[in-house]
Each structure stands twice: as C-alpha cells, then as structure tokens.
Amino acid sequence: MATHPHRPAHAAADCSALARPGAGAKLLIAAQWSLTFLGLFCLIGVAVLMALTPDAWPM
C-alpha cells in the first residue's frame, strides 16, 4: 500500500469556518485550562488544610 503525505485540513470554499482557531478561541481554551488548574489547586489546598487542622473539621 502506498503512503501519501497528509495535507493540512482546509475549510471548504463556501464554508465560513476557519482551518485554525483564531485568537478568541485560543483565549477561551487558555481560560478553560486556567480555571481547571485553579479548581485542582483549590481541591488539593482544601484537602491539605483539612489534614493539617483535624480539630477544626469534625467529620
């Protein structure tokens, strides 16, 4: 079987979609990842806080 080089994806001529995400989409993705890491940081922080102060958390 012959191998063919892959060409980058292009939008159809009559389609208004872009082949690559624009600056707005990249900012939204960056904001999404930032919020994800902030949430993980807070979850880990709360777990550490609860582990270090067992008297303050009657569970």
Side-chain angles (χ1 to χ4, degrees):
M1 179 171 20
T3 59
H4 301 286
H6 294 284
R7 295 185 199 152
H10 293 290
D14 59 346
C15 182
S16 63
L18 297 174
R20 295 184 185 154
K26 288 183 180 181
L27 285 174
L28 286 175
I29 292 170
Q32 183 179 11
W33 279 110
S34 299
L35 288 174
T36 300
F37 287 127
L38 177 65
L40 288 172
F41 177 77
C42 289
L43 283 174
I44 293 170
V46 166
V48 169
L49 180 68
M50 291 176 71
L52 292 177
T53 57
D55 297 336
W57 305 97
M59 294 176 97

